[in-house]
Amino acid sequence: MAKKQKQNEERDSADGELMPGRVHWQSPTKMICCYIILVMLAAGHHLYYTRLDGQPATDQSWKTRAGIAFANVFQILFSISMGLAFAPQTWRTLRRNSLYLDDVGKLFTAPSNPLSILSTGLLKSAKISMLIAALAWISPLIPILAPASLSVVSRELKVVPALPIQINNFNFSQAANISNPEEVNIIEASTQTETDRFAKRGTDTLTEIHKLRRRQSSSSSSSSSSAESGRQDIGETYAAYTKPTNRLTALISEVVYGGQIVQAPSPCGENCTFTQSFVGPAYQCAEMDPYDTSSPWCSPAGLKNTGDTTCSEVWEVFGASLRSTLYEASNSSADFCTKLSSNPRACNSTFASTTEPWENGNIWVRYKYLAENWRAQFQENKSVPANAWMNLSYRCDQWDARFDLKRTYINSVQQVEVNTTFLNRTRYGVVVGESRTSGWVGSNKADYINFAIHQTLYGYLAGFIEYYGGLVSNGAELDGTALVENIPWPVDGVRKPKKNLGPLLEQLHANVTVSLLAMNGLVYFTPVAAPDLEINIFRNVFKYDKRALLLTYGLALLLGLLAIAIGIKSLFQNGVSADLGFLSILLTTRSRSLDDLAFGASLGADPISGKLRKQKVTFGATKYDLVMQNTDLVDKSGSSVNGAEVGADRPHAVFAVEGRDSFDDLKKGILYV
């Protein structure tokens, strides 16, 4: 008898049948190994992309495929590890909960059918199993997110050329070959008489200048030849300066209404950076006392309005329905007194004696600024407190200034950083129209270009904006420039100056001077080697966004670690290793109660009756009651299978049907038939 029992034990050990369940070493080993490989794949992918970061983007397709391969293998192993963790957690759930047969079926198919995860019954009774199954289903996002952390960008490389590149710089005092049409000048000189010239121009401002010139002592123009054959100083052999050229006025108009420096062609290719310095004209605007007696609207004393010894009348605002001067710009007090004063009869008719002629290279600007919270009240003809108005006054003088530029070209589009240092005040000499021998422009030929720019800007800035009798009078040309606000107030269609008008005027003149670089063939250009030249080469390189990859893999590894830990814990709590395959289902569903329920539905085809779907079962231990058939496993007495006794007290692990079978919890170390 003992010998036979020993033989049976040896056979049982060999065949693995009718032995107490145990945790097979392969189950936890597989989960742990999968996780280790996942960590190695994530680290390898990170190191691979780190190596590519900043490298030239060559063989992009193959290098991208390698990254996708890392992510796909990671996703496959992640899904496998979730499946390994899902099985023991599922059996743990089936032992602890009574589930409908329909939910049991969905639980077994959750890894292969994502719709099973949406079962409300499983979300209540099998939360952890459903979460693990959901992780497996969202894992295909990993091959989408992780490889996207590597991209191709254009990176700028700065290269200093071996040979210098010539750029155009300014020399406003150099001689010009006026007979050469390729040398574009920005001022015109003529042998016509002044009367003929101004008759052709016909502007009010220049008519006043003409009157002023005629009162000056006339002198003949002297001519002299340049030391360089074929080249002459601009205006030197001509009677007088005539006017700015159309090219210059067009350029200044583009700056005034464009609000920025005119684009100049690049001398060094599409992408480069260099610096340059030159001396040119610029405005320096100082904020003045609104009641300064030297201002055009307050001086000379003989031109003030009768009884107004404090210059307060010009600043008074009577309301939108009465006279209100909101902007004035001039540099001839006589001119403004006769044309713009509310009491012109008080002006001295001999205005030619003014001490502030506009040819002296400055312009005075005054304006009233009203804070936005008071504008609606002013528009409605309601009283506005006097302290709500800001009386602002600027005097802008033209100076010779040092311009230090940093010019950058990006795809042939110019960007300019401008710094100015004021050197000395511009002075044009005795009077416009005198020959150089009498002192006008004298030793500084650059005064020609200074005078031309100032004259043109003066034409845009001089004038007034006045509100009178409910109507607006706009004698300035500021609309459409960056000097005025975007929205007019009052709502009259005329935009008023911005609060910081002085700095804006300085920027305007500086933009005009720098924009001269855009005039191809300008006579004042002098070729020089570009200082601090850097050629910017843009090269496609790989860029690795490690945050995206590490976040993707880090989150996956963290959730995967929790799932595997739960799976291993459930595995040892169950005490056995079991998968969710057909054989496991077959072995756990052999009972008389289940056979009775399944009678007539052995095909497993839809539709399955609702009664069968809603039958609750629990995986537990019942009494062995299966009627054995005559097989080679059953002995002649019918009381043993494979030599093991199968009496009525032998426990049987099976899905017990609630209401039909009595069952107990499964326990570790017990032999279940």
Side-chain angles (χ1 to χ4, degrees):
M1 186 67 180
K3 183 177 180 181
K4 182 177 180 180
Q5 183 177 0
K6 184 176 180 181
Q7 291 175 350
N8 290 336
E9 291 176 354
E10 292 175 355
R11 184 183 63 187
D12 292 341
S13 299
D15 296 339
E17 298 177 357
L18 296 178
M19 290 291 291
R22 68 184 187 278
V23 176
H24 197 282
W25 66 270
Q26 290 184 355
S27 298
T29 302
K30 289 178 182 178
M31 286 188 273
I32 294 173
C33 288
C34 279
Y35 189 79
I36 293 174
I37 296 175
L38 288 175
V39 173
M40 294 174 63
L41 285 170
H45 199 174
H46 168 66
L47 293 175
Y48 175 64
Y49 277 0
T50 300
R51 181 176 175 273
L52 290 180
D53 188 27
Q55 296 298 315
T58 57
D59 299 327
Q60 294 182 30
S61 58
W62 285 106
K63 292 174 180 176
T64 302
R65 289 169 186 166
I68 294 175
F70 270 107
N72 276 286
V73 175
F74 183 96
Q75 186 263 328
I76 293 171
L77 284 178
F78 184 84
S79 298
I80 292 174
S81 63
M82 293 304 98
L84 294 174
F86 179 80
Q89 176 58 31
T90 296
W91 287 113
R92 183 65 179 167
T93 300
L94 294 171
R95 291 185 180 201
R96 300 176 62 182
N97 300 280
S98 294
L99 301 177
Y100 293 117
L101 281 173
D102 187 45
D103 286 339
V104 173
K106 292 179 179 178
L107 183 59
F108 275 83
T109 60
S112 59
N113 183 6
L115 297 179
S116 300
I117 301 175
L118 303 178
S119 171
T120 56
L122 293 180
L123 292 176
K124 293 179 180 178
S125 303
K127 298 182 183 67
I128 297 179
S129 294
M130 292 300 97
L131 288 174
I132 295 175
L135 289 177
W137 278 108
I138 65 174
S139 63
L141 293 176
I142 296 174
I144 298 175
L145 299 176
S149 60
L150 184 71
S151 59
V152 177
V153 298
S154 182
R155 181 166 295 177
E156 180 181 4
L157 302 177
K158 297 184 180 297
V159 178
V160 178
L163 298 177
I165 294 179
Q166 298 291 313
I167 63 171
N168 288 324
N169 211 9
F170 289 131
N171 181 3
F172 292 119
S173 61
Q174 73 175 4
N177 185 354
I178 298 179
S179 63
N180 185 355
E182 294 182 358
E183 293 189 351
V184 179
N185 205 348
I186 55 179
I187 64 172
E188 290 183 4
S190 173
T191 58
Q192 294 176 304
T193 65
E194 285 190 6
T195 303
D196 291 339
R197 291 201 312 275
F198 283 99
K200 292 180 68 175
R201 300 179 68 172
T203 60
D204 291 341
T205 302
L206 293 176
T207 299
E208 300 298 336
I209 300 172
H210 172 56
K211 293 178 181 179
L212 180 62
R213 290 177 178 176
R214 288 195 302 175
R215 280 187 289 273
Q216 304 296 331
S217 57
S218 60
S219 59
S220 60
S221 300
S222 61
S223 60
S224 59
S225 59
S226 174
E228 182 182 354
S229 176
R231 301 187 66 85
Q232 301 172 354
D233 291 341
I234 298 172
E236 186 172 3
T237 61
Y238 292 81
Y241 162 89
T242 304
K243 65 174 184 177
T245 61
N246 292 337
R247 286 290 302 274
L248 178 61
T249 55
L251 179 78
I252 294 178
S253 177
E254 185 175 354
V255 176
V256 170
Y257 293 109
Q260 60 185 358
I261 297 171
V262 176
Q263 290 288 319
S266 172
C268 49
E270 293 184 353
N271 302 285
C272 58
T273 301
F274 59 90
T275 62
Q276 68 180 110
S277 299
F278 57 85
V279 175
Y283 276 156
Q284 184 179 45
C285 298
E287 187 170 359
M288 308 297 290
D289 182 352
Y291 306 100
D292 190 335
T293 57
S294 64
S295 63
W297 37 84
C298 295
S299 69
L303 299 180
K304 293 180 182 177
N305 294 337
T306 304
D308 183 14
T309 58
T310 62
C311 195
S312 60
E313 187 267 355
V314 296
W315 291 105
E316 190 169 352
V317 176
F318 300 98
S321 62
L322 299 175
R323 184 182 299 278
S324 303
T325 301
L326 301 181
Y327 171 84
E328 284 187 12
S330 175
N331 42 11
S332 173
S333 57
D335 182 45
F336 259 79
C337 185
T338 56
K339 293 186 177 182
L340 307 177
S341 174
S342 59
N343 186 12
R345 288 178 299 177
C347 296
N348 189 328
S349 60
T350 58
F351 57 85
S353 62
T354 176
T355 59
E356 197 66 39
W358 73 274
E359 296 95 328
N360 277 7
N362 58 49
I363 183 168
W364 286 76
V365 176
R366 79 174 179 101
Y367 58 101
K368 300 183 72 65
Y369 181 84
L370 184 63
E372 293 184 9
N373 55 315
W374 293 106
R375 294 179 183 178
Q377 187 167 327
F378 179 76
Q379 175 69 29
E380 296 170 0
N381 295 330
K382 296 180 181 179
S383 177
V384 175
N387 59 5
W389 291 93
M390 297 182 64
N391 298 331
L392 300 172
S393 176
Y394 287 94
R395 170 174 166 158
C396 296
D397 296 305
Q398 194 180 55
W399 284 62
D400 290 323
R402 176 183 174 86
F403 284 76
D404 295 306
L405 308 184
K406 181 179 180 181
R407 297 171 62 187
T408 301
Y409 285 88
I410 300 177
N411 296 328
S412 298
V413 177
Q414 177 185 233
Q415 298 176 359
V416 185
E417 298 178 17
V418 182
N419 290 309
T420 55
T421 304
F422 296 102
L423 302 177
N424 52 270
R425 169 83 184 277
T426 299
R427 299 195 181 277
Y428 303 129
V430 178
V431 65
V432 175
E434 283 196 1
S435 65
R436 289 188 58 222
T437 56
S438 298
W440 187 68
V441 180
S443 61
N444 187 8
K445 303 171 190 176
D447 282 347
Y448 285 111
I449 179 60
N450 294 13
F451 182 80
I453 293 176
H454 172 60
Q455 176 186 351
T456 308
L457 288 178
Y458 175 85
Y460 287 104
L461 301 176
F464 66 95
I465 300 174
E466 189 174 58
Y467 215 74
Y468 180 67
L471 299 176
V472 65
S473 297
N474 184 15
E477 298 185 29
L478 303 183
D479 242 359
T481 71
L483 305 176
V484 295
E485 297 181 338
N486 296 327
I487 300 176
W489 66 271
V491 185
D492 51 20
V494 179
R495 294 166 176 81
K496 312 306 184 296
K498 294 179 179 178
K499 185 177 180 181
N500 60 331
L501 184 58
L504 292 177
L505 291 173
E506 292 183 345
Q507 181 180 352
L508 174 63
H509 195 315
N511 287 352
V512 169
T513 301
V514 176
S515 294
L516 294 175
L517 293 167
M519 297 183 69
N520 291 329
L522 185 64
V523 69
Y524 298 108
F525 282 156
T526 298
V528 296
D532 306 316
L533 176 63
E534 292 179 338
I535 305 297
N536 305 322
I537 300 175
F538 291 87
R539 178 179 298 173
N540 289 337
V541 297
F542 288 110
K543 180 182 179 181
Y544 170 39
D545 181 7
K546 63 178 64 177
R547 292 177 299 177
L549 184 136
L550 295 179
L551 180 61
T552 301
Y553 282 143
L555 187 59
L557 290 173
L558 176 61
L559 295 176
L561 179 62
L562 292 175
I564 290 174
I566 291 172
I568 294 176
K569 179 182 178 182
S570 298
L571 187 67
F572 284 96
Q573 286 178 336
N574 295 338
V576 294
S577 299
D579 57 24
L580 300 178
F582 172 76
L583 188 58
S584 295
I585 296 173
L586 172 67
L587 297 176
T588 55
T589 56
R590 308 305 300 154
S591 72
R592 186 183 298 277
S593 297
L594 291 177
D595 286 347
D596 291 343
L597 289 173
F599 183 79
S602 59
L603 283 177
D606 288 331
I608 299 175
S609 68
K611 181 180 178 181
L612 184 58
R613 289 178 180 274
K614 295 302 180 181
Q615 180 62 58
K616 282 192 172 184
V617 296
T618 304
F619 189 52
T622 66
K623 297 293 182 65
Y624 179 76
D625 61 354
L626 189 63
V627 177
M628 289 293 179
Q629 303 297 325
N630 292 327
T631 67
D632 57 353
L633 298 178
V634 183
D635 62 8
K636 293 180 179 181
S637 64
S639 61
S640 65
V641 178
N642 282 346
E645 296 183 0
V646 289
D649 59 345
R650 178 68 69 179
H652 179 208
V654 72
F655 279 96
V657 179
E658 189 176 278
R660 293 194 180 193
D661 300 326
S662 59
F663 61 91
D664 296 322
D665 292 339
L666 295 174
K667 299 178 180 179
K668 293 189 291 186
I670 303 299
L671 176 64
Y672 294 97
V673 298

